[in-house]
């Protein structure tokens, strides 16, 4: 994996959505570890936050431009100016609960935004020649949710699985996957698609499941679990996902799709119980499991996701370094020691309402909506 990072040294990489959770982890790694030259393009919507890349923002091989990928004119100008060797596309609306409430935002960004980026990329790609054209890549980051739901039989999604999305979010991402593949076939754009399982780790926006549970527990609030908590997810520590993306960019085959999973399937109720055990150790004095509260299930809640990552493991030698247990402990510790970061995001709006917290992090009347992937 170290060799893959070395191959990216000095390469110019445009990252969309680089101020989001996964995007920022990738940007920090590309800039500080790989030594790549990165242009981070982000619209800075509610989940976009420049502070998550503060560790590299001062370095000469990092640039930032605030723009929406649907703004074709500005996007095209940024690409022409930067002249990237690769584009990594992570900009997306990504929260299932929000997609149920406001699907139009997901259609706009995930489908129309991807279309605008593909059109810009094709125009730019056609202008290239020689080695720069041969080496150019368009890496599209997607989700396992495009494949729909599995039962408890033990089967896993593979790259050949049929897409059967069940939420507006998943449908919008499936559409973007189809667009990327079609632009690769029709216009010979050298695309690579990755579909990952649920990510977790530091800097994750508080609306997602694990940070929501951590922050609720810290304030003695109910830990809302949808339904009976039997829904199963495969969890992937964000830094392991980043390592996989670096490998795909350096050595992935154009035209191919790769599934990336942590091999850590766990049902939601067991996850919350494990999280409570970690909190009991790090913040003794409260048996956090007593805070668990079951709430009405959300519409179209997929029973189980699980991916077969054997393709990327066999072809590129990728393996997750963190177990679920070690990654969860690191994540909880990070939120405990970085309260100044997450308190700024409880801005009295939707996140504060979901957690039952006010802008200054004080307790208010809790809402039971919570983001289970």
């Amino acid at each position: 994996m170290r060799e893959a990072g070395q191959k990216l040294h000095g390469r110019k990489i445009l990252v969309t959505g680089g101020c989001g959770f996964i995007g920022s982890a990738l940007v920090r790694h590309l800039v500080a570890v790989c030594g790549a030259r990165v242009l981070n393009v982000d619209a800075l919507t509610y989940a976009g936050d420049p502070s998550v890349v503060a560790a590299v923002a001062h370095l000469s091989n990092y640039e930032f431009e605030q723009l929406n990928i649907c703004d074709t004119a500005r996007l095209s100008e940024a690409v022409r100016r930067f002249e990237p060797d690769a584009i990594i596309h992570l900009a997306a609306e990504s929260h299932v609960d929000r997609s149920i409430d406001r699907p139009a935002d997901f259609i706009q960004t995930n489908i129309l935004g991807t279309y605008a980026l593909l059109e810009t990329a094709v125009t730019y790609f056609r202008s290239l020649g020689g080695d720069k054209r041969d080496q150019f890549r368009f890496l599209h980051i997607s989700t396992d949710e495009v494949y729909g739901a599995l039962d408890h039989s033990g089967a896993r999604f593979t790259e050949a699985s049929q897409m059967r999305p069940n939420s507006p979010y998943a449908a919008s991402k499936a559409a973007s996957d189809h667009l990327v593949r079609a632009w690769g076939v029709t216009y010979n754009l050298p695309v690579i698609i990755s579909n990952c399982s649920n990510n977790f780790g530091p800097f994750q926006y508080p609306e997602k499941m694990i940070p929501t549970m951590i922050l609720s527990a810290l304030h003695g609030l109910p830990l809302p679990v949808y339904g009976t908590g039997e829904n199963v997810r495969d969890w992937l520590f964000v830094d392991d996902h980043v390592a996989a993306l670096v490998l795909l960019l350096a050595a992935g085959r154009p035209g191919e799709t790769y599934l990336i999973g942590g091999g850590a399937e766990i049902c939601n109720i067991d996850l919350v119980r494990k999280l409570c055990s970690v909190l009991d150790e790090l913040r003794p004095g409260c048996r956090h499991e007593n805070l668990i509260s079951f709430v009405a299930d959300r519409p179209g809640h997929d029973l189980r996701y699980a991916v077969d990552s054997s393709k990327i493991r066999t072809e590129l030698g990728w393996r997750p370094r963190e177990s679920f247990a070690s990654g969860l402990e690191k994540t909880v510790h990070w939120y405990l020691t970085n309260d100044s970061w997450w308190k700024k995001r409880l801005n009295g709006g939707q996140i504060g309402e979901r957690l039952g917290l006010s802008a200054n992090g004080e307790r208010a009347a809790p809402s039971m909506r919570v983001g289970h992937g």
Side-chain angles (χ1 to χ4, degrees), residues 289-343:
E289 190 171 326
N290 292 335
L291 297 171
I292 293 175
S293 173
F294 294 95
V295 299
D297 210 351
R298 75 175 177 210
H301 195 185
D302 291 336
L303 177 63
R304 174 175 169 257
Y305 302 142
V307 303
D308 181 347
S309 300
S310 58
K311 182 175 179 177
I312 190 172
R313 291 173 185 246
T314 301
E315 289 191 10
L316 302 180
W318 174 81
R319 296 287 188 281
R321 294 183 177 181
E322 296 289 345
S323 67
F324 179 72
S326 65
L328 186 63
E329 185 169 348
K330 286 184 176 181
T331 301
V332 173
H333 183 266
W334 187 88
Y335 279 94
L336 292 180
T337 55
N338 288 272
D339 60 339
S340 61
W341 182 84
W342 54 259
K343 281 184 177 179

Side-chain angles (χ1 to χ4, degrees), residues 65-345:
E65 185 165 347
Q66 182 177 355
L67 66 84
N68 191 308
I69 57 172
C70 294
D71 187 340
T72 307
R74 289 194 60 207
L75 182 64
S76 298
E77 176 57 32
V79 170
R80 286 194 298 268
R81 176 185 63 78
F82 186 63
E83 298 183 339
D85 299 305
I87 294 174
I88 307 180
H89 179 34
L90 297 106
E93 294 284 348
S94 65
H95 192 239
V96 176
D97 285 352
R98 283 180 181 265
S99 79
I100 295 171
D101 295 337
R102 298 183 61 180
D105 294 343
F106 291 72
I107 303 302
Q108 180 70 28
T109 299
N110 298 355
I111 300 178
L112 297 180
T114 298
Y115 163 72
L117 184 62
L118 284 167
E119 288 288 85
T120 300
V122 166
T123 299
Y124 172 71
F125 177 66
R126 287 173 173 170
S127 73
L128 302 177
D131 290 343
K132 196 168 180 72
R133 181 184 179 91
D134 294 338
Q135 295 173 5
F136 182 81
R137 296 291 183 269
F138 185 105
L139 176 56
H140 173 66
I141 316 306
S142 190
T143 172
D144 58 0
E145 297 189 37
V146 301
Y147 297 110
L150 295 167
D151 57 24
H152 289 306
S153 66
R156 295 181 177 181
F157 298 129
T158 72
E159 288 81 2
S161 295
Q162 180 182 358
M163 290 188 182
R164 299 173 63 103
N166 293 319
S167 70
Y169 162 63
S172 68
K173 289 299 291 183
S176 70
D177 290 7
H178 285 312
L179 288 174
V180 172
R181 182 182 182 278
W183 259 244
V185 173
T186 302
Y187 304 108
N188 296 315
L189 188 67
V191 302
I192 300 170
I193 299 172
S194 68
N195 298 84
C196 68
S197 58
N198 281 34
N199 278 227
F200 70 107
F203 291 109
Q204 190 168 28
Y205 198 65
E207 70 185 353
K208 295 302 179 75
M209 180 182 183
I210 288 179
T212 292
M213 294 298 175
I214 294 171
L215 302 186
S216 295
L218 291 180
H219 290 81
L221 297 171
L223 308 184
V225 177
Y226 280 137
T228 61
E230 297 304 313
N231 301 75
V232 174
R233 299 294 181 261
D234 175 22
W235 291 90
L236 174 66
F237 192 65
V238 66
D239 291 345
D240 285 326
H241 187 192
V242 165
L245 297 180
V246 169
L247 276 171
L248 289 182
L249 189 60
R253 291 184 289 139
E256 295 293 321
T257 295
Y258 296 84
L259 298 190
I260 308 170
E265 286 185 60
I266 186 171
C267 66
N268 288 339
I269 185 59
D270 287 344
L271 182 156
V272 176
R273 287 171 178 152
K274 286 182 181 294
L275 190 151
C276 288
S277 295
V278 175
L279 283 167
D280 288 349
E281 293 179 7
L282 297 177
R283 284 288 177 91
C286 171
R287 192 166 185 271
H288 293 89
E289 190 171 326
N290 292 335
L291 297 171
I292 293 175
S293 173
F294 294 95
V295 299
D297 210 351
R298 75 175 177 210
H301 195 185
D302 291 336
L303 177 63
R304 174 175 169 257
Y305 302 142
V307 303
D308 181 347
S309 300
S310 58
K311 182 175 179 177
I312 190 172
R313 291 173 185 246
T314 301
E315 289 191 10
L316 302 180
W318 174 81
R319 296 287 188 281
R321 294 183 177 181
E322 296 289 345
S323 67
F324 179 72
S326 65
L328 186 63
E329 185 169 348
K330 286 184 176 181
T331 301
V332 173
H333 183 266
W334 187 88
Y335 279 94
L336 292 180
T337 55
N338 288 272
D339 60 339
S340 61
W341 182 84
W342 54 259
K343 281 184 177 179
K344 291 178 181 178
R345 277 127 202 99

